[in-house]
């Protein structure tokens, strides 16, 4: 799933930025890292919701086709 994959990339990039910011004492870089991790989590959650809705729609279609 593309959105979920991008979420994972954002989370990993964010973690690396957070660590780099912590090690170098760069609070801005650390904050950017935390923000990117949050964005990644939102993308993953949105992807999960989208998938659940698509599954629900498919089940409804199957039920309608059987009736």
């Amino acid at each position: 799933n593309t959105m979920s994959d991008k979420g994972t990339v954002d989370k990993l990039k964010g973690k690396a930025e957070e660590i780099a910011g912590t090690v170098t004492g760069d609070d801005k870089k650390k904050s950017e890292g935390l923000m990117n991790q949050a964005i990644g989590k939102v993308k993953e959650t949105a992807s999960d919701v989208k998938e659940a809705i698509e599954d629900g729609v498919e089940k409804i279609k199957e039920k309608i086709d059987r009736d």
Side-chain angles (χ1 to χ4, degrees):
N1 186 322
T2 304
M3 191 181 308
S4 180
D5 294 344
K6 287 182 181 177
T8 300
V9 170
D10 285 334
K11 283 174 52 179
L12 291 172
K13 177 184 167 195
K15 189 63 176 174
E17 289 174 332
E18 177 192 3
I19 291 169
T22 299
V23 169
T24 62
D26 185 343
D27 289 337
K28 182 178 178 194
K29 178 63 80 179
K30 183 177 177 181
S31 295
E32 288 172 0
L34 291 169
M35 183 176 67
N36 282 327
Q37 289 177 68
I39 289 169
K41 183 64 178 166
V42 168
K43 286 181 181 178
E44 287 178 342
T45 301
S47 176
D48 291 345
V49 169
K50 180 181 177 225
E51 189 175 301
I53 290 170
E54 289 171 347
D55 289 346
V57 168
E58 189 60 37
K59 287 178 183 177
I60 291 169
K61 286 180 182 178
E62 289 172 4
K63 178 148 179 59
I64 290 171
D65 289 344
R66 283 187 298 212
D67 291 342

